[in-house]
Structures are given as structure tokens and as C-alpha cells.
Amino acid sequence: MKMYLNSIFADPERTARLIDIAQSSFLPLLKGAIFYTIPLTLISFIIGLILAILTALARISHVKVFQIIARIYVSVIRGTPLLVQLFIIFYGLPTLGIIIDSYIAAVIGFSLSVGAYASEIIRAAILSTPKGQWEAGYSIGMSYSQVLRRIILPQAARVSLPPLSNSFISLVKDTSLASLVLVSEMFRKAQEIAASNYEFLLVYSEAALIYWVICFILSVIQQMMEKKLDRYV
Amino acid sequence: MISIQGLYKQFGNLEVLKGIDLEVGKGKVIVVIGPSGSGKTTMLRCLNVLETPTKGVISIEGNTLDFSKGVPKKNIAAFRRLTGMVFQSYNLFPHKTALENVMEGPIIVKKESRDAARKMAQALLEKVGLGDKIDYYPAQLSGGQQQRVGIARALAMDPKVMLFDEPTSALDPELVGEVLKVMKDLATEGMTMIVVTHEMRFAREAADEVIFMDQGVVVERNIPEEIFTNPKQERTRKFLNMIQ
């Protein structure tokens, strides 16, 4: 630690080199974040959320087959490492003749993961809505899907916002795993830059800082949304 | 206008309704009393199919559901629209304002325009004395006010019969009066009503007939004066003695 700091500040030439690297790597890293990390997160989360709602509904439905399919899906995804899933999709499936672009493979992997974890959050949120809300909806002539869409899910959204935000923020960071299936997202950029100049600590810290800023902005947005959804409580 | 024939309801091994037969004429106010577990709430819930009867026939203004045969879901939704339900625990939609609660059914189920629905909802809320509270969320209203919104929400669907399931049981005593007043006004206007309640004063003042239920059957049925002053059945007498 001391040696590292000494090597920087005792040597003006090295200080200048580090500042230069920090500056020149910032833009590529930011590009990686803007063009890959953020869209990858957003797309995967939206698809994952749809999967999660369907899975949650399947779990609470009275149709045995739906329940079983949903249970198996959640069990498999939660019971195996995300990295292993990504490797199976990207490196494994070509053996069966299924070749998937690295970016798409990452989207599939992350969506499936979000779908499984978030389905439990949404299932709990739906079940936490009082039975009387269903009955009130039915009593004014609404159908199952109308009650679900208009009455239950909006209330479930409020309950599930904090845990879903957790999943979302985790996903931002999990996208760094996509570097291992050759998606040139931010962390892969960082690895490439660091490999060329050997300033691992500097470059990786810079990447970490960008992840942190993104997540910080997200938690601010979460707070704003919570305030909005809490207005009627 | 409303008829119930041979209505049975079983929860597992527990038989809650053991053959209910009931005719209710148009514009009549029927109050149902009875000890807890007598099946009065279950009967009411069967009338709008929140509980599916085990067997029996229900009909409202010519629309008939025969539960001894299978009943398609579509028919149930259509049948429900003939009834308006007011719940003991109000069950207002907490994420919608009073106005939105009342507008929901007309817009989503009856496919009315927003403007028409808004106008009607506003008029209904004024009618129940909440014209100044239309933009309040349920959490900002007292129990009595919430229940009155509940009544307006049910009325918005223009039901043939209003069903009240112990509408004042969850209320603080000082708030009961405002809800009963709205119900009495409705009765005066000629609304057909079936009311499960423990409010004997309401039964005396507003009911055309009182029905005493016990252990899943209708024990006695008469006009209020008769049933309260001169009950025919021993079980009715016992129950009335206990609560008075």
C-alpha cells in the first residue's frame, strides 16, 4: 500500500502517466457502460420481470401442470450458478447446433435469472394483497385478469418495489459476468485496458467507481418511486 | 324478483347451508339475523357467487343459475353485475381515490366513457354525503366514510339488488348512524336490499321482513314487529333474548 502510494507521488512522471491512463480509459469504460452494461441490464430486467409475473401466476394458479413447470424452472435457475448458466448457453449449446450471439446469450441468461428470483418476490407480493380486494373486484363484475391488472398488481408493485430494486441493482453488477462470454461490456473493456498497461488497480477501481455511480443513481430513483407509490398509504 | 331454491353449501365436511328457500319481492328490504355460524353471510355470498353453492338454484330478475349443473364462468360474471355487494371490511381499493373507486366498475366492466363515469360517480358520492371527499384516498377517510364509498361503488354498477354483509360491524359506534342513514335512504327510494346485520333498530325501522337463520336453515320469517315482539319459534326467542 505504502509502496504503491510512494511510487505514485514520489515520481512525477508516474503520476502523470496514471492520470493520463485514468483519463484515456474513462471514455471507453463509459462507452462500455452506456452501450452494453446499461442496455443489457434494462432489457434483461424487463424480460425477466415479465417472466417473473408469469411464473408467479403459474405458482399460485390452481392448474397443477403450471405449478410444477414454475417450480422446476425456479429450482433449476436458483440452484445453479449464473456463470455456469451463461457458459452452457454460449459455449454449450453450439454442441447441439444452437449458436447464439454472445449478447443475446447474455440477455437470455440474465432474463432467466431475474425471472426466477423476482417470481418469488412477486408471488409474495400478490399473496400479501388481502383476499377482500379480489372479492371487491369480482363483486363489481370484473374478470380475473381485470382484477389482477387493475387491483392486485398495482398494490403488489408497491410491496415488491424495494426487493425488486435489490434485484435490479444486483443485475447491474452481475452483467460483468457477460465479459466471460465475450460481451464487450464495461468490465471486459476494463480487462482489455488493464492488460495493455498493467495498471490493474487503477483501471479496475475506475470501473468499480462507474458501477457504484450507476447503482447510486438507481437507488435515488428507487426512493423517488417509493415516495410516489406510498402516497395512498 | 329474487328467488333461492334448495340452496346448499358445504365447506369440506361442514354443511353451512342446508336447503335455503327464499323469495324476495322487488323493492323489499330483508334483514337477516342469526347467531354467528348460522350461514347468513354465506347465503349472501352465494347470491353473488363469491361462494359457489354446492347445489341449488338462484335467480334474479329472470337470470337463473342452477348449481346442480355446471355454471360457466361467463354467466357468473354477468350474474354478479345484477348484485351490489357491501362488505363488512369495506374492501375499498386503497390505491384509488374515492372517485376512482366508484368509477372503476363503470369504466372497466360497463365500458362507459371516463366523463360519463366521472359524472355519475360524483353524483353518487354526493348522494352518500361525500361530495367534498371525492379526491381522498381510503386511508384518509374514517370507517363510516369508507363504507359509504363502498355503497356508492356498488350502486355505480346499477344493481338490481344490494347485498349488505354486516356493513356496520367494523365501525366505531358513533359512525354507525351515518351508514345506516344512507341505507335507509336507499330503502326509501325503493332499492331491493338484503341486509345481514346485528343492528336491530335498523331492522325495526327499515325492514319489510326479518329472517332469522340458525344452523344453515331459515327458522322464522316475519314482519319486524311480529318477529321482535312475538317470535313463533323457540330458537328465535332465545336468540332475541340473548341480544336484547
Side-chain angles (χ1 to χ4, degrees), chain A residues 131-143 146 149-152 154-155 231-233, chain B residues 45 48 50 80-81 83 85 87 91-96 104-105 108-109 111 137 139 153 157:
Chain A
K131 204 168 145 250
Q133 291 292 308
W134 287 96
E135 294 187 345
Y138 286 140
S139 79
I140 55 172
M142 292 171 113
S143 64
Q146 285 171 332
R149 245 179 328 123
R150 307 272 317 171
I151 310 300
I152 304 300
Q155 295 182 59
R231 73 191 182 282
Y232 60 79
V233 187
Chain B
R45 289 165 61 85
N48 69 350
L50 283 180
R80 276 203 187 107
R81 285 177 53 181
T83 67
M85 182 83 169
F87 298 90
N91 295 353
L92 294 186
F93 307 131
H95 58 303
K96 294 178 182 295
E104 186 71 10
I108 301 303
V109 180
K111 313 282 179 208
Y137 285 99
R153 178 177 67 183
M157 294 307 287

Side-chain angles (χ1 to χ4, degrees), chain A:
Chain A
M1 179 78 182
K2 206 175 163 202
M3 255 175 64
Y4 185 75
L5 291 178
N6 270 341
S7 77
I8 298 171
F9 294 110
D11 181 356
E13 225 172 273
R14 176 144 166 73
T15 311
R17 177 180 132 85
L18 283 178
I19 291 174
D20 185 50
I21 288 175
Q23 279 177 345
S24 64
S25 56
F26 182 71
L27 203 62
L29 287 179
L30 195 65
K31 272 188 182 162
I34 290 173
F35 293 116
Y36 290 94
T37 301
I38 293 174
L40 195 56
T41 307
L42 274 177
I43 296 170
S44 305
F45 195 74
I46 291 168
I47 298 174
L49 211 52
I50 295 169
L51 264 177
I53 292 174
L54 293 177
T55 308
L57 291 177
R59 275 294 299 274
I60 57 180
S61 86
H62 297 295
V63 185
K64 260 263 142 53
V65 186
F66 291 169
Q67 287 179 22
I68 291 169
I69 294 171
R71 270 172 186 277
I72 292 173
Y73 161 56
V74 172
S75 173
V76 168
I77 298 295
R78 288 207 306 193
T80 53
L82 180 51
L83 187 58
V84 174
Q85 294 163 16
L86 288 172
F87 271 45
I88 289 175
I89 296 168
F90 185 67
Y91 296 111
L93 288 185
T95 311
L96 303 175
I98 305 168
I99 298 165
I100 302 172
D101 171 72
S102 63
Y103 192 82
I104 310 267
V107 168
I108 293 173
F110 293 134
S111 301
L112 286 174
S113 167
V114 170
Y117 283 96
S119 75
E120 290 293 284
I121 296 173
I122 289 169
R123 184 170 70 94
I126 289 176
L127 292 179
S128 78
T129 315
K131 204 168 145 250
Q133 291 292 308
W134 287 96
E135 294 187 345
Y138 286 140
S139 79
I140 55 172
M142 292 171 113
S143 64
Y144 172 83
S145 69
Q146 285 171 332
V147 180
L148 185 71
R149 245 179 328 123
R150 307 272 317 171
I151 310 300
I152 304 300
L153 286 182
Q155 295 182 59
R158 191 183 73 82
V159 182
S160 55
L161 183 67
L164 282 180
S165 303
N166 246 348
S167 303
F168 193 72
I169 287 171
S170 290
L171 181 61
V172 173
K173 297 170 295 173
D174 285 346
T175 56
S176 59
L177 292 176
S179 63
L180 296 164
V181 290
L182 314 180
V183 176
S184 46
E185 49 69 61
M186 177 162 60
F187 188 60
R188 185 164 184 87
K189 286 272 170 59
Q191 286 175 308
E192 286 165 5
I193 295 167
S196 67
N197 58 29
Y198 298 104
E199 293 294 347
F200 297 104
L201 181 62
L202 175 74
V203 178
Y204 290 157
S205 300
E206 210 174 340
L209 188 70
I210 297 177
Y211 278 118
W212 186 48
V213 169
I214 295 173
C215 292
F216 180 77
I217 294 170
L218 285 175
S219 33
V220 171
I221 294 173
Q222 176 194 348
Q223 277 172 22
M224 283 168 16
M225 284 172 70
E226 275 184 32
K227 234 182 201 157
K228 191 162 180 282
L229 286 173
D230 276 349
R231 73 191 182 282
Y232 60 79
V233 187

Side-chain angles (χ1 to χ4, degrees), chain B residues 5-244:
Chain B
Q5 288 158 31
L7 188 68
Y8 285 83
K9 174 63 187 178
Q10 211 163 341
F11 292 108
N13 283 327
L14 184 71
E15 200 163 45
V16 181
L17 296 180
K18 301 168 186 163
I20 303 276
D21 294 290
L22 191 67
E23 302 278 331
V24 179
K26 199 175 173 67
K28 295 282 185 248
V29 176
I30 307 295
V31 166
V32 185
I33 60 173
S36 74
S38 60
K40 50 195 195 310
T41 289
T42 304
M43 182 192 71
L44 205 67
R45 289 165 61 85
C46 282
L47 266 174
N48 69 350
V49 208
L50 283 180
E51 304 292 354
T52 310
T54 315
K55 60 181 177 187
V57 181
I58 306 176
S59 103
I60 297 177
E61 283 211 334
N63 296 276
T64 303
L65 295 182
D66 185 351
F67 291 97
S68 310
K69 306 165 191 161
V71 174
K73 268 193 181 141
K74 206 178 66 196
N75 295 11
I76 292 178
F79 191 84
R80 276 203 187 107
R81 285 177 53 181
L82 303 168
T83 67
M85 182 83 169
V86 176
F87 298 90
Q88 182 177 355
S89 47
Y90 334 130
N91 295 353
L92 294 186
F93 307 131
H95 58 303
K96 294 178 182 295
T97 63
L99 190 72
E100 289 166 344
N101 263 277
V102 182
M103 288 166 65
E104 186 71 10
I107 292 178
I108 301 303
V109 180
K110 286 211 265 173
K111 313 282 179 208
E112 281 180 16
S113 75
R114 272 200 95 76
D115 279 344
R118 175 183 295 272
K119 258 189 205 141
M120 183 181 61
Q122 215 154 359
L124 281 170
L125 285 170
E126 264 159 37
K127 181 181 158 133
V128 298
L130 293 171
D132 55 340
K133 296 275 193 285
I134 58 171
D135 291 324
Y136 284 52
Y137 285 99
Q140 299 169 307
L141 299 171
S142 73
Q145 291 167 335
Q146 289 192 51
Q147 192 57 296
R148 285 185 280 152
V149 175
I151 294 173
R153 178 177 67 183
L155 287 174
M157 294 307 287
D158 200 15
K160 304 293 179 205
V161 53
M162 285 286 284
L163 309 173
F164 294 84
D165 182 15
E166 305 198 19
T168 58
S169 297
L171 292 175
D172 289 336
E174 77 271 21
L175 302 176
V176 170
E178 62 190 65
V179 174
L180 291 183
K181 184 184 172 301
V182 169
M183 290 167 62
K184 275 183 201 164
D185 290 348
L186 266 182
T188 316
E189 283 169 28
M191 173 62 79
T192 311
M193 295 163 55
I194 300 179
V195 184
V196 173
T197 185
H198 299 295
E199 293 292 327
M200 296 303 152
R201 263 194 61 193
F202 176 82
R204 275 179 217 274
E205 291 169 15
D208 293 301
E209 274 188 295
V210 175
I211 284 169
F212 174 69
M213 278 181 73
D214 192 19
Q215 294 178 358
V217 293
V218 173
V219 175
E220 189 167 352
R221 167 179 190 175
N222 217 327
I223 55 171
E225 298 94 271
E226 276 297 306
I227 216 162
F228 286 122
T229 55
N230 186 22
K232 301 273 184 295
Q233 301 289 331
E234 179 59 28
R235 277 195 276 176
T236 318
R237 204 171 305 145
K238 263 193 181 154
F239 175 72
L240 289 171
N241 278 337
M242 247 162 41
I243 59 167
Q244 275 166 349

